[in-house]
Amino acid sequence: MAFENIKAGFDKYTADVEAKLAKTPERVNIAANRLYTPLDLGEGFDYTEKLGFPGEYPYTRGVQPTMYRGRFWTMRMYAGFSTAEESNKRYRYLLANGGSGLSCAFDLPTQIGYDSTDAMAEGEVGKVGVAIDSLADMEILFDQIPLDKVSTSMTINAPASVLLAMYIAVAEKQGITPDKLRGTIQNDILKEYAARGTYIFPPTPSMRLITDIFEYCSKNVPQWNTISISGYHIREAGSTASQEIAFTIADGIAYVEAAIKAGMDVDAFAGRLSFFWNAHNNVLEEVAKFRASRRIWAKVMKERFGAKKPKSQMLRVHSQTAGSMLTAQQPNNNIVRVALQTAAAVMGGTQSLHTNSKDEALALPTEESVAIALRTQQIVAYESGLADTVDPLGGSYYVEALTDKIEAEAWDYIKKIDELGGAPEAIAKGYIQKEIQDSAYKWQMEIEKNERIIVGVNKFQQEEEAPKNLLRVDTSVGRQQADKVNKLKASRDNAKVKAALAALEAGCASDTNLMPLILDAVRAYATEGEICGVMRKVFGEYQPHTSL
């Protein structure tokens, strides 16, 4: 009877409002309904099935029972530029100012397995991240940073095994055993083929490297998150919120299937899988997206893969505010955007967060702008009240209806990808790329037609002076880094390097786990380019399809 009363009241409200719209029209192009009520959840809305309690299946309301009432999310600021020396200074600055974790940005040559001396690296050394050529650079990068006290995330994919090996070797030199290390390697190659582009090897050996890492870390580095399955870059390429979680979870399914096929028990590795979401502009949509993604993953792991451990069913997530939403126009507006995106990630229940700096649409961030970005997280944590209760928007008719809507759309995509043969096949056939491109085009057309307003870009523009005091990486960094590589090769035990690389080459041609062999090469001070060169020789290089 109560439901019928709500329906009658809602119908009367709607009729009254629509009678007045001629005089007071609503804005157009609004995707949300005018008002949400229990009618949008349905008379049979099952709290236990849809929501449950924090820390319990299906984890819609969060993966920890008390969430931020126990401790705040990890404030993990993404940083790295120029040389290891310069980046080490920035890391120590962030930790001294309240950062609770590190997130390493690597330059493009490092991301695609080339040394700074390689012709392919010319003009790119140290530009979008720090240049790391060998263990010697990694030792400098983490100088005076105790790796048993700090959690470190590394945005590295194709050569993730090499950078992880370097991190383990640095820890050894600090007297820290691998079982004490905490952190994450991104290690998500499927989204590189679909949305980002920093791949090296073809899919089959790439998936082998990933499962080798799963196996090695489950036995030797048990606190390490062996993959961060990344929707962030899918969203940055132009996807919708539903596509972001659908395509990313489909990638996650492929990684789990690969590990099981390699002989691993799902509960031996699934608890160390993590995800990486974009915290985008539409605050309530983002909150719903985070909640829906946890519910989907819990169901996938429990029903599809038979995972029994609660940790195997939990979608734990790192977030980053949306780089693609930063504008070069009126860059101070980006402070407000980042604050709202931070609120979305926190209300959505993120486990760690990086906040972008106001000037990143123009250049690498300055220390001042990085400090503002970090302070944004701290203000939300300590002053806003958003961290005081678990899932603060749970029960909102709008948020619950939107969570259901995003979940349903995501399941439709996952079903379609399954029909195509899984994420690798869907990528090979161009399906995922095409869907992202279509969404990106639609977004851009909405901006150009003024159907979507971006403040300072297509409305509320103003005359501006050219930006000042931007951080630029000097071209001399490339020469400095090349000198380092040449000096290293002249001073190391090259016979030991040669033997380690030969053992790695033989390993690549067999079915042995490659992580111990990569570690041996790293400890001998083989460079990243040399190690990846051996794997290129055996595995070949991925050649993307040029048309969809």
Side-chain angles (χ1 to χ4, degrees), residues 310-377:
K311 282 191 175 180
S312 300
Q313 301 168 2
M314 293 179 186
L315 186 149
R316 295 168 302 111
V317 65
H318 167 69
S319 312
Q320 180 175 336
T321 56
S324 59
M325 294 297 99
L326 300 174
T327 64
Q329 300 92 330
Q330 303 176 33
N332 284 340
N333 294 348
N334 294 328
I335 298 173
V336 181
R337 292 186 178 101
V338 168
L340 290 169
Q341 293 162 3
T342 299
V346 170
M347 289 189 288
T350 193
Q351 276 59 72
S352 68
L353 177 63
H354 163 74
T355 34
N356 292 327
S357 299
K358 67 175 185 175
D359 48 3
E360 288 189 64
L362 297 161
L364 290 167
T366 62
E367 270 195 4
E368 179 187 15
S369 63
V370 165
I372 293 170
L374 178 57
R375 294 289 181 256
T376 300
Q377 294 199 50

Side-chain angles (χ1 to χ4, degrees), residues 154 160-168 177-187 208-227 264 267-273 513-516 519:
M154 292 187 279
S161 54
V162 183
L163 273 296
L164 175 59
M166 290 182 184
Y167 193 82
I168 293 169
T177 54
D179 61 296
K180 302 292 194 302
L181 298 178
R182 294 177 298 113
T184 306
I185 41 173
Q186 193 163 104
N187 200 26
R208 172 195 172 178
L209 286 167
I210 290 168
T211 55
D212 280 358
I213 291 169
F214 287 0
E215 182 183 38
Y216 182 85
C217 288
S218 70
K219 297 173 182 175
N220 299 283
V221 201
Q223 297 189 80
W224 195 266
N225 298 318
T226 49
I227 194 168
M264 297 184 68
D267 283 311
F269 67 87
R272 300 318 305 177
L273 306 180
N513 190 305
L514 296 178
M515 274 302 298
L519 257 170

